[in-house]
């Protein structure tokens, strides 16, 4: 699953709208404030999404270590 699809699913879930409607732009006007709030929460979340496939455990551990160092450097 791509990073964009994960983000879309998160936003749809948090805003209580159908993912298909969000993807196709068929969201009721009243739902947009919830979508903006969900988008803001996602943007502010301390997440790192790696959507590359077919990597081994050693590579996952290496990337995790790099991410952990980055978090420490940024003050998260």
């Amino acid at each position: 699953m791509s990073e964009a699809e994960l983000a879309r699913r998160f936003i749809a879930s948090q805003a209580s709208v159908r993912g298909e409607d969000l993807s196709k732009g068929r969201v009721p006007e009243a739902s947009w404030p919830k979508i903006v709030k969900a988008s803001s929460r996602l943007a502010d979340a301390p997440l790192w999404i790696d959507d590359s496939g077919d990597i081994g455990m050693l590579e996952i551990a290496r990337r995790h270590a790099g991410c952990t160092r980055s978090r420490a450097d940024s003050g998260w």
Side-chain angles (χ1 to χ4, degrees), residues 14-67:
Q14 294 295 303
S16 300
V17 298
R18 291 183 50 203
E20 181 180 343
D21 291 344
L22 185 60
S23 296
K24 294 182 178 180
R26 298 184 310 206
V27 179
E29 188 74 28
S31 296
W32 282 106
K34 293 191 293 183
I35 292 169
V36 170
K37 183 177 179 180
S39 298
S40 178
R41 288 183 60 205
L42 179 59
D44 293 340
L47 295 175
W48 183 69
I49 299 173
D50 181 356
D51 59 356
S52 60
D54 198 29
I55 59 174
M57 288 303 296
L58 290 174
E59 181 64 15
I60 292 171
R62 185 186 71 75
R63 292 180 185 186
H64 175 268
C67 182

